[in-house]
Amino acid sequence: MSAADGTPSVQLVEVTPEIAAASRVSRHAGFPEALLRQPPIDPAKLVAGDGVDVTIWEKDGFGMFPAGPSGASPLGEVLIDQAGYVSLPYLGRIRAAGETLTTLREVILHRLQGLIIGADVLLRATDRNGKLVVIQGDVAKPGAYPIEQTTRRLSGLLGMAAPNPQRPEQLSITHIRNGQAHAVRLADIYRDPSQDIALYPEDKVIAAMVEEHVVVLGAAGAQGRLVLSKRNYSVIDALGEAHGMNDATAHPKGVYVLRQAETAEPEQPMTLYHFDLTRPDQMGSAGMFRIADGDLLYISDAPFTKVQKVMSVFGGMITGAGNSAVR
């Protein structure tokens, strides 16, 4: 229902401890179970995109691999393709992904046995690394990082990239793999070790500050727009950052939080939460009630005897909910 002039109606709610408790974020988002179950990779094992430098020594063969002055035949760098194979002269395609340099050497030596009576192989990893993860956003050191022993899990990568430490509850860490994105707050990753997921090649991590605000108006010590520094940012938190209420003009019985309707439908009323901070139980509720992004905190002037005067600030019609309106 809306007012005759089309202004949305406002539903007045007297805040109780139950309403305040229900407003809080009690369950934190986490990564899906499928991600949590995946074990860390072995950094020693080769993956697609890795480069391997190959040198072969041939003895009592047919001179298939031309040798240099040292007797070695350097084949140079070979790249593991996206299917996980390397291609070597006379030996064809060899499965390399999932092997270590040691086990890949054994596979190559086995292939050479049918061609060369005596042979040896030297493999060396090149700078071309397929085991990379990328981190971007609100970090001091963005970029591509190799998956090594210390960066096999998300916390290791975050430690290297140094995310913004000022508001860990409001810093969202988004992990992207195969086009699937999942976001968890930094504080929850530090709080819950199970959220420290294993990283895989081509993963992307984006750190982004969640910007949420409340506007403080009326008889506050300082009016303006405040940044929510945590998820359960309360009315008391907002009053503290606004330097409290104005001693000369504020009316502690008339503290209101105006919340927009969840949808843009005209029949959806806005909600006006009322606090009487002269009552100890209401002080407790104000300390628990969670401010949401886009809320407006209004501190009325004294004396403030009629709820309708609040509506002269906010406009529209008012409907009661919960207890009766304050007198």
Side-chain angles (χ1 to χ4, degrees):
M1 183 173 64
S2 59
D5 63 357
T7 305
S9 62
V10 179
Q11 182 181 37
L12 179 66
V13 175
E14 297 292 323
V15 176
T16 64
E18 292 75 21
I19 291 174
S23 73
R24 297 178 69 81
V25 177
S26 57
R27 294 187 62 186
H28 302 151
F31 291 117
E33 190 65 28
L35 277 181
L36 302 180
R37 288 198 305 264
Q38 290 185 317
I41 68 169
D42 183 351
K45 290 187 177 181
L46 300 167
V47 300
D50 281 346
V52 180
D53 187 82
V54 182
T55 301
I56 294 178
W57 279 269
E58 179 181 353
K59 180 181 179 182
D60 298 330
F62 298 101
M64 302 175 64
F65 300 95
S70 65
S73 301
L75 303 184
E77 182 188 43
V78 294
L79 186 66
I80 302 177
D81 63 26
Q82 291 303 308
Y85 288 83
V86 294
S87 296
L88 296 175
Y90 306 108
L91 302 181
R93 283 163 55 81
I94 298 175
R95 180 74 182 178
E99 304 287 349
T100 65
L101 289 176
T102 300
T103 58
L104 179 60
R105 175 180 176 273
E106 293 172 355
V107 172
I108 295 174
L109 282 173
H110 180 73
R111 290 279 189 99
L112 286 170
Q113 285 178 0
L115 300 174
I116 302 173
I117 297 174
D120 199 2
V121 176
L122 173 65
L123 301 181
R124 181 182 61 84
T126 69
D127 293 336
R128 206 178 303 226
N129 193 335
K131 295 182 284 295
L132 294 177
V133 292
V134 174
I135 183 166
Q136 300 171 325
D138 198 2
V139 294
K141 301 175 183 178
Y145 287 82
I147 299 178
E148 299 172 336
Q149 200 65 30
T150 56
T151 54
R152 295 195 304 164
R153 290 191 176 273
L154 181 57
S155 63
L157 176 66
L158 293 173
M160 296 288 290
N164 188 330
Q166 294 181 348
R167 290 186 284 145
E169 283 212 347
Q170 295 297 85
L171 187 63
S172 176
I173 305 298
T174 300
H175 173 267
I176 304 172
R177 180 180 298 165
N178 299 325
Q180 300 293 316
H182 305 280
V184 174
R185 299 294 174 94
L186 178 62
D188 295 338
I189 296 171
Y190 289 159
R191 182 185 297 115
D192 183 359
S194 72
Q195 300 302 315
D196 191 13
I197 58 175
L199 297 175
Y200 280 64
E202 300 185 4
D203 281 1
K204 293 181 181 179
V205 177
I206 300 174
M209 194 63 71
V210 178
E211 291 293 342
E212 298 177 320
H213 303 86
V214 59
V215 175
V216 180
L217 295 176
Q223 298 183 19
R225 194 165 179 252
L226 300 178
V227 175
L228 307 190
S229 58
K230 56 185 179 180
R231 280 168 291 187
N232 286 317
Y233 187 92
S234 70
V235 172
I236 296 297
D237 289 327
L239 288 173
E241 292 197 31
H243 306 296
M245 294 184 285
N246 188 303
D247 291 339
T249 62
H251 187 52
K253 287 189 176 183
V255 176
Y256 296 86
V257 173
L258 180 69
R259 182 164 298 170
Q260 299 291 331
E262 293 184 0
T263 67
E265 297 297 328
E267 64 273 10
Q268 290 293 320
M270 295 183 290
T271 305
L272 186 65
Y273 295 97
H274 171 246
F275 299 86
D276 177 356
L277 297 189
T278 64
R279 294 166 44 190
D281 63 314
Q282 286 277 281
M283 286 287 290
S285 294
M288 182 170 289
F289 185 87
R290 181 180 67 89
I291 294 286
D293 182 35
D295 281 355
L296 187 150
L297 175 62
Y298 182 80
I299 303 163
S300 63
D301 293 333
F304 204 91
T305 57
K306 294 183 180 297
V307 173
Q308 282 74 13
K309 290 186 178 180
V310 178
M311 305 322 299
S312 70
V313 177
F314 298 126
M317 292 171 30
I318 187 166
T319 59
N323 298 332
S324 60
V326 66
R327 297 290 189 267

